[in-house]
């Protein structure tokens, strides 16, 4: 059990109003982070990993209480909180524990023959103080996976959760399992104004997950200070279902991909393209499946779909559905909130969609499944790539050669073949988008190294030897270098021998005064 009370801060009425930071407070937070990072730089990776191990154990132990807080703040159904949030976090922690040493250790790289006798190394150094700004849809998973990757890489971290799901006190409680971790990670509450104050303090990097609208503002502010930014933004992800699939499995998979977390996932299925031969059957089966789903939050693990976290998001979803209907689309099921609870939007199946409807051009971020027919592979790839977004996709076909080909043709950051949203399930795979879905990668080796700066080191012996490319430049040296280039890039089987002779000649010339 968590010994301190984790107070509920429901969406509508946080217990304590979230006051935004003053510039003075932001400066104090950065000063503390600077001290923490300096302390951290004297400690080993093993110490950070030991803290992570304690945190992992603590999350496992206290998962029920954590899920209570999550469900209260987000209106998720309990299984979404358990699987996508808690299990997702634990998988990522375990991956860090197993892989961080290898990825972050100093690396020896090859040195070319022209630099004979020298050795080359790459050192992965922490960046300093990293600012992580998070959204409300997966407040635990997105928060903890990015915070811990940055911390394990050796950075002090300042974390600003969404003001809609601050889960006040929870993160502090978790980091308190380890004193070094608690000292190195600060949680700062408030709206975007607090985040702006923090950016003004010039973090070494901003890692942002949220909307494209906010991403643009952050990029603009960071440009002033040349602060590097990773942007994990929204999506309009497609499922492409060819006519050779196992129908029942692909319907169930696509429906889950569209409705998990009540559709409030950046990589939710937001457009379903089904090949014409199975279109009618697919739609009929999808309707049957959707109508069986149970909506609830605060459940015991037996509800399928939770509520909407943000009232304004519910309005966006409904407006898109109504707009599509007004323009000729057919709502086969859903299209409204539950009669007895307006925070639950009924899973909505919709057909007769046209490319110019808001439902096709803007992120929906709600429990809506638009299904469209297509005929050929080329046609569907063109439709998908016409989107301004490019986060992820799923491709469904028994013909793996075709599925692999389509996966490679899609302009996006991740593709699951014969499954859905599953690249996120493997912590070894990097996650991130293209186009309006942003850039930069989190998770996997690339994500972890994204919280480091590589430093290149070349080691030479302290010898008597003078480098031939140093002064003085002479005609004989010039001609020897010229000959070296000619030999080095030739196809002569004896080129190594010839290069050694030229090398000796250059060494002799280098010793001569002008
Ligand atoms: P949002 O952009 O409204 O807010 C995200 C965070 O940015 C919040 O913490 C907010 O306080 C902060 N913020 C607001 N204004 C700011 C400013 N001017 N400067 C700095 N920070 C500011 O996004 P949201 O509504 O919380 O989240 C939903 C969006 O996030 C969706 O578009 C979704 O697709 C996207 N998302 C993307 C990923 C991904 O990995 N690609 C994952 C989850 C969510």
């Amino acid at each position: 059990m968590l010994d301190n009370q984790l107070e509920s801060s429901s969406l509508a009425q946080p217990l304590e109003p979230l006051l935004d930071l003053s510039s003075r407070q932001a400066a104090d937070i950065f000063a503390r982070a600077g001290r923490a990072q300096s302390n951290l730089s004297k400690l080993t990776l093993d110490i950070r990993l030991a803290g992570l191990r304690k945190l992992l154990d603590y999350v496992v132990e206290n998962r029920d209480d954590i899920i209570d807080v999550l469900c209260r703040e987000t209106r998720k159904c309990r299984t979404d909180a358990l699987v996508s949030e808690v299990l997702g976090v634990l998988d990522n922690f375990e991956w860090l524990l197993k892989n961080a040493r290898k990825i972050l250790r100093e690396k020896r790289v090859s040195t070319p023959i022209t630099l004979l006798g020298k050795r080359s190394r790459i050192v992965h150094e922490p960046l300093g103080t990293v600012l992580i700004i998070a959204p409300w849809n997966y407040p635990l998973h997105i928060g903890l996976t990015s915070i811990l990757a940055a911390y394990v890489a050796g950075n002090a971290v300042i974390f600003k959760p969404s003001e809609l799901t601050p889960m006040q006190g929870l993160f502090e409680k978790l980091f308190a399992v380890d004193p070094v971790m608690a000292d190195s990670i600060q949680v700062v509450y408030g709206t975007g104004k607090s985040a702006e104050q923090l950016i003004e303090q010039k973090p070494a990097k901003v890692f942002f997950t949220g909307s494209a609208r906010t991403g643009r503002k952050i990029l603009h502010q960071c440009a002033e200070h040349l602060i590097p930014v990773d942007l994990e933004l929204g999506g309009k992800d497609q499922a492409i279902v060819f006519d050779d699939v196992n129908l029942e499995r692909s319907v169930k998979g696509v429906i889950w991909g569209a409705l998990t977390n009540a559709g409030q996932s950046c990589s939710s299925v937001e457009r379903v393209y089904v090949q014409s031969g199975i279109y009618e059957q697919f739609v009929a089966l999808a309707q049957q499946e959707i109508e069986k789903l149970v909506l609830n939050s605060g459940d015991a693990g037996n509800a399928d779909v939770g509520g909407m976290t943000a009232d304004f998001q519910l309005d966006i979803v409904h407006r898109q559905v109504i707009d599509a209907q007004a323009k000729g689309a057919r709502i086969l099921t859903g299209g409204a909130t539950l009669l007895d609870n307006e925070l639950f939007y009924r899973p909505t199946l919709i057909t007769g969609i046209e490319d110019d409807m808001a439902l096709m051009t803007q992120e929906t971020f709600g429990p809506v499944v638009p299904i469209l027919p297509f005929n050929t592979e080329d046609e569907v790839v063109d439709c998908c790539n016409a989107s301004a977004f490019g986060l992820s996709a799923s491709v469904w076909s028994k013909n793996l050669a075709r599925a692999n080909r389509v996966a490679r043709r899609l302009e996006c950051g991740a593709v699951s073949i014969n499954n859905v949203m599953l690249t996120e399930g493997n912590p070894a795979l990097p996650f991130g988008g293209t186009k309006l879905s942003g850039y930069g990668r989190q998770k996997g080796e690339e994500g972890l190294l994204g919280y480091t700066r590589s430093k290149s080191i070349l080691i030479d012996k302290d010898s008597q030897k003078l480098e031939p490319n140093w002064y003085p430049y002479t005609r004989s040296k010039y001609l020897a270098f010229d000959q070296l280039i000619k030999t080095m890039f030739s196809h002569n089987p004896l080129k190594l021998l010839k290069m050694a002779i030229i090398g000796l000649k250059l060494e002799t010339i280098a010793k001569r005064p002008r």
Side-chain angles (χ1 to χ4, degrees), residues 160-196:
K160 201 210 76 68
S162 167
E163 60 274 32
L164 297 186
T165 52
M167 305 197 294
Q168 281 190 66
L170 175 63
F171 286 102
E172 293 88 335
K173 193 84 213 152
L174 299 179
F175 303 141
V177 294
D178 179 79
V180 182
M181 191 185 280
D183 186 47
S184 309
I185 305 171
Q186 296 178 74
V187 185
V188 176
Y189 299 102
T191 67
K193 288 195 169 54
S194 286
E196 285 172 22

Side-chain angles (χ1 to χ4, degrees), residues 134-136 160 163 195-196 208-211 214 233-234 266 363 431:
W136 46 261
K160 201 210 76 68
E163 60 274 32
E196 285 172 22
F208 172 72
T209 310
S211 63
T214 310
L233 310 176
C266 51
E363 188 178 39
F431 186 76

Side-chain angles (χ1 to χ4, degrees), residues 131-138 142 160-164 190-196 199 206-215 217-218 221 231-235 264-267 270 310 312-313 363 365 389 391 431-433 437-438 442:
L131 172 61
I132 293 172
I133 305 172
W136 46 261
N137 60 331
Y138 288 107
I142 293 175
K160 201 210 76 68
S162 167
E163 60 274 32
L164 297 186
T191 67
K193 288 195 169 54
S194 286
E196 285 172 22
I199 294 171
V206 175
F207 185 89
F208 172 72
T209 310
S211 63
R213 182 179 30 84
T214 310
K217 284 192 205 160
I218 291 178
Q221 194 186 355
L231 297 176
E232 297 283 355
L233 310 176
Q264 302 160 111
S265 300
C266 51
S267 54
E270 296 219 349
F312 67 80
Q313 192 62 44
E363 188 178 39
F365 222 57
F389 294 95
L391 193 54
F431 186 76
S437 297
Q442 63 163 329

Side-chain angles (χ1 to χ4, degrees), residues 433-459:
T434 61
K435 304 195 268 188
L436 280 191
S437 297
Y439 50 79
R441 293 291 180 262
Q442 63 163 329
K443 304 210 253 193
E445 179 167 346
E446 212 177 321
L448 185 57
L449 289 178
Y451 291 111
T452 66
R453 183 186 302 116
S454 62
K455 180 180 276 174
S456 300
I457 299 187
L458 187 131
I459 309 140

